[in-house]
Amino acid sequence: MRRISIFGATGSIGQNTLDLVRRDKKSYKIVALTGGRNIAQLVRDAREFHPDVVVTAFPELLPALKEGVSGLKIEAAAGGLAICEAADRPADWIMSAIVGIAGLAPSLNAVRQGATLALANKESLVTAGPLLLAQAAEHGAVVLPVDSEHSAVFQALLGEDIASVERIIITASGGAFRDWPQADLAHATPAQAQTHPNWLMGRRITIDSASMFNKAMELIETKEFFGIDEAKIETIIHPESLIHAIVGFNDGGMMAHVGAPDMRHAIGFALNHPKRQHLDVARLDFTTIGQFRFFAADEARYPALRLAREVMCKGHLWGAAFNAAKEVALDRFIVSDIGFLDMAQLVEAVLRELDHVGDLNTVSRDLQDILQVDQATRELARTLDV
């Protein structure tokens, strides 16, 4: 019986992970489940899967959580420190699916205990890729990508020499506004940005998909995880979301990963790695699909992609600054403080300001370095006008 923990259990990745576990409960022992404000879901999952500990990120919700698991032999806790302590509990496999920089510390704790880390938290690689991967190597941990695109690249590279790779193509759906005239984007509302054409995801990541900041983060992730030069990383619009990534090799051949837009593919691959197990997910019928469409990802329409390339070239602590500025820009858009197009303008303004007021061209030594950059950038992004 494998011991597993799920950080971000109440989100879409966490719920899909639990769906796979539910189909084979006898094979797993749940060590820890963590969530945010959705206490009702966290309680339901705790009552079904009986983890050793259940944690909410918000201390004010601890009484409700304790009440929900009363009568069961389940420890209830709250707050960031409690989440990190849960990540210290011995487990064989840990899903890191907390959204935002809050997921970085648990990811680091997970690899330091030598566990297999299934990484869905983009920020861990964007803000601290070299640190996380170095810690994993030092402690004998395995890091497996769970983003559908990076799982696709990982699978396409199995048995291949990374030195033979000429290009990696990350596909993008184009998000909620892919068919909108560019002139209309300035008037897009948060409610309109929250509907994804292909994937069922949380609010923040769905809006990031519409602005392509999600894809910008994935470009940086690709460089960090696979250690490939940024000039070899591309993105294209693929409205069907059936080809998740393509790897091109130096002999002209290309390997594409194709599958239905269902996160259980990537999660199941990471959960069962190095074996492939049967997954009860949709099978594609190519005769009904008819065609795969591809379009250039215009960096004038999607400036987040251009900014990501600048960050990849700079390296060091610039990823932490990029993520922090992006998160604040999203916060401000959600509350209608800035417009849809203003998000990229704000991130660019923050990065330009940091060129003058701070030196981010140093190697991050530890988590504290990253958190200091994160906090300083957030303060700047909250005060700048666009």
Side-chain angles (χ1 to χ4, degrees), residues 62-139:
L62 181 57
L65 181 59
K66 284 185 174 180
E67 181 180 353
V69 298
S70 63
L72 303 174
K73 294 181 179 179
I74 299 174
E75 180 183 345
L81 180 58
I83 290 175
C84 288
E85 290 174 346
D88 284 331
R89 297 191 179 218
D92 303 305
W93 188 91
I94 296 176
M95 169 59 77
S96 175
I98 295 173
V99 176
I101 192 71
L104 174 57
S107 294
L108 286 168
N109 284 24
V111 297
R112 285 168 182 156
Q113 61 157 296
T116 293
L117 177 66
L119 189 61
N121 173 258
K122 300 177 187 300
E123 293 77 11
S124 292
L125 284 175
V126 171
T127 67
L131 177 62
L132 178 72
L133 295 176
Q135 289 288 305
E138 180 180 343
H139 295 280

Side-chain angles (χ1 to χ4, degrees), residues 247-382:
V247 178
F249 297 94
N250 57 8
D251 62 357
M254 306 183 84
M255 298 280 285
H257 181 278
V258 186
D262 187 331
M263 283 306 302
R264 290 175 297 176
H265 278 292
I267 297 167
F269 179 83
L271 183 62
N272 297 307
H273 183 269
K275 297 180 180 179
R276 288 191 185 271
Q277 302 281 41
H278 173 81
L279 293 176
D280 187 18
V281 298
R283 269 51 175 175
L284 297 183
D285 180 350
F286 288 95
T287 63
T288 60
I289 293 170
Q291 64 178 338
F292 291 141
R293 294 173 295 160
F294 303 98
F295 305 100
D298 182 2
E299 293 188 1
R301 181 182 175 93
Y302 304 113
L305 301 177
R306 171 177 54 80
L307 295 173
R309 293 201 176 278
E310 293 181 12
V311 168
M312 286 192 289
C313 289
K314 290 181 176 180
H316 301 303
L317 290 166
W318 284 97
F322 177 79
N323 175 71
K326 187 272 298 184
E327 288 193 11
V328 173
L330 177 57
D331 291 339
R332 292 179 63 175
F333 172 65
I334 287 173
V335 299
S336 300
D337 180 44
I338 61 175
F340 180 76
L341 296 179
D342 294 334
M343 287 190 287
Q345 293 179 24
L346 176 59
V347 173
E348 182 163 17
V350 169
L351 295 180
R352 298 294 175 263
E353 188 72 18
L354 290 172
D355 262 335
H356 303 296
V357 302
D359 182 9
L360 303 183
N361 300 311
T362 57
V363 177
S364 56
R365 296 162 298 178
D366 52 32
L367 177 61
Q368 192 58 37
D369 283 345
I370 295 157
L371 294 181
Q372 285 177 351
V373 170
D374 177 83
Q375 186 59 40
T377 304
R378 286 174 191 273
E379 292 174 1
L380 178 60
R382 292 186 186 110

Side-chain angles (χ1 to χ4, degrees), residues 13 93-97 116-122 124-125 132-133 142-158 170 218 221-226 245 257 263-273:
I13 297 294
W93 188 91
I94 296 176
M95 169 59 77
S96 175
T116 293
L117 177 66
L119 189 61
N121 173 258
K122 300 177 187 300
S124 292
L125 284 175
L132 178 72
L133 295 176
V142 175
V143 182
L144 297 173
V146 173
D147 266 351
S148 59
E149 296 83 359
H150 302 96
S151 177
V153 174
F154 185 89
Q155 293 179 58
L157 287 173
L158 289 174
I170 300 295
E218 290 174 0
E221 281 185 275
T222 302
K223 179 195 175 190
E224 297 296 345
F225 189 88
F226 298 102
H257 181 278
M263 283 306 302
R264 290 175 297 176
H265 278 292
I267 297 167
F269 179 83
L271 183 62
N272 297 307
H273 183 269

